[in-house]
Structure formats: structure tokens, C-alpha cells
Amino acid sequence: MPDPDTRAFWEATADGRLAVCRCQSCGKWMHPPLERCRECGGTTAFEYVTGSGVVYSFIVQRQPLVAGYVDQTPYVVALVELDEQPGLRLPTRIVGVDPPDVTCGMRVEAEFVDLPGGDFKVPVFRPAAARHALTTLRPDQ
Ligand SMILES: [Zn+2]
């Protein structure tokens, strides 16, 4: 549920955009959001990010234990590291790919889906377009 610290995140997802908390002094991104930067104590605000990143880690949920997702098992729950900053990771689901085909390091892009049973949109990630993946895999060419 949105609260004063996360309201801007949910407002952005409702518009189909991803916004992450960022220090207005040193520029460090942080998620989950904080009122003050843990590095420099500066004030923070939400800024839009590209929604591109890589799968940092993941599990395959095979047990139908989570309401709203019972009919979607198996599905992938992942930490996606966003391109904006090393270590800036978002817990999410990976969609549009069979769970056995998900790999750490896979390039992914955000999209937004309705939260089952709620009035919110949540970010999920799907494999990036092949053109983008080739660029990333072979940056020297
Ligand atoms: Zn800072």
C-alpha cells in the first residue's frame, strides 16, 4: 500500500513509468526509498529511470501459495539490477519467458501489469528486445 515514502513510486507505475528514490545532493539511487540519503544525509526525491537492467538473482515459485498468483505458477521472482547504478535492485517478477530459460545477467525491460486483487500497477520485467541484448553482449563491436 502506498505511504508517504512510496506514493511517488505508485503514482509513476500508474502512468506506466518507473521512478526510484534518488539523493538530491550526491545523486545516489536507493530502493527501497528513504527520506534521507544513507551516504550523505541529503534529501531525496523520486526520479524516472529507464526501466532497463539485468536479472541479478531469481527463484522459481512452484508452490501456489500467494493469493492472486495461484494460477500463474510456476513463475519467476527476481531481483533486477537497474542500469542506473550498480547495486540498485528491484524485487519483481520476470514474465514473457519460460522459467527454465531465465538466467542471471539476462537483459530485461520493465512493463506494468495490474496487481491481482488491487487497484495498482506493479512493474514486472521481460527479456529485452534481441537488438538491445546483442548490443549489450558485444559492446566492443
Ligand atoms: Zn547522498
Side-chain angles (χ1 to χ4, degrees):
M1 295 296 293
D3 61 27
D5 293 333
T6 63
R7 182 169 292 118
F9 176 86
W10 295 112
E11 289 172 352
T13 62
D15 287 340
R17 302 179 75 179
L18 191 57
V20 175
C21 181
R22 189 175 197 191
C23 176
Q24 300 302 291
S25 295
C26 73
K28 183 175 177 66
W29 298 93
M30 57 200 81
H31 187 81
L34 294 170
E35 186 176 352
R36 290 278 179 174
C37 176
R38 69 169 61 106
E39 299 294 323
C40 76
T43 59
T44 62
F46 281 81
E47 295 183 17
Y48 294 116
V49 293
T50 61
S52 296
V54 297
V55 174
Y56 177 79
S57 181
F58 69 96
I59 63 164
V60 178
Q61 176 65 39
R62 299 178 192 284
Q63 303 298 320
L65 300 174
V66 180
Y69 297 95
V70 168
D71 61 346
Q72 297 183 40
T73 54
Y75 59 89
V76 175
V77 176
L79 278 178
V80 166
E81 186 162 281
L82 300 174
D83 288 343
E84 276 73 13
Q85 176 181 285
L88 179 63
R89 299 179 193 134
L90 192 71
T92 186
R93 287 188 304 127
I94 305 297
V95 300
V97 58
D98 288 336
D101 295 332
V102 175
T103 58
C104 290
M106 171 184 276
R107 288 214 55 83
V108 289
E109 297 174 334
E111 65 180 44
F112 300 88
V113 298
D114 292 330
L115 179 67
D119 295 328
F120 304 99
K121 288 195 178 296
V122 292
V124 296
F125 287 76
R126 72 171 53 239
R131 172 176 44 85
H132 189 99
L134 288 173
T135 301
T136 302
L137 288 171
R138 309 191 73 176
D140 56 327
Q141 299 185 9

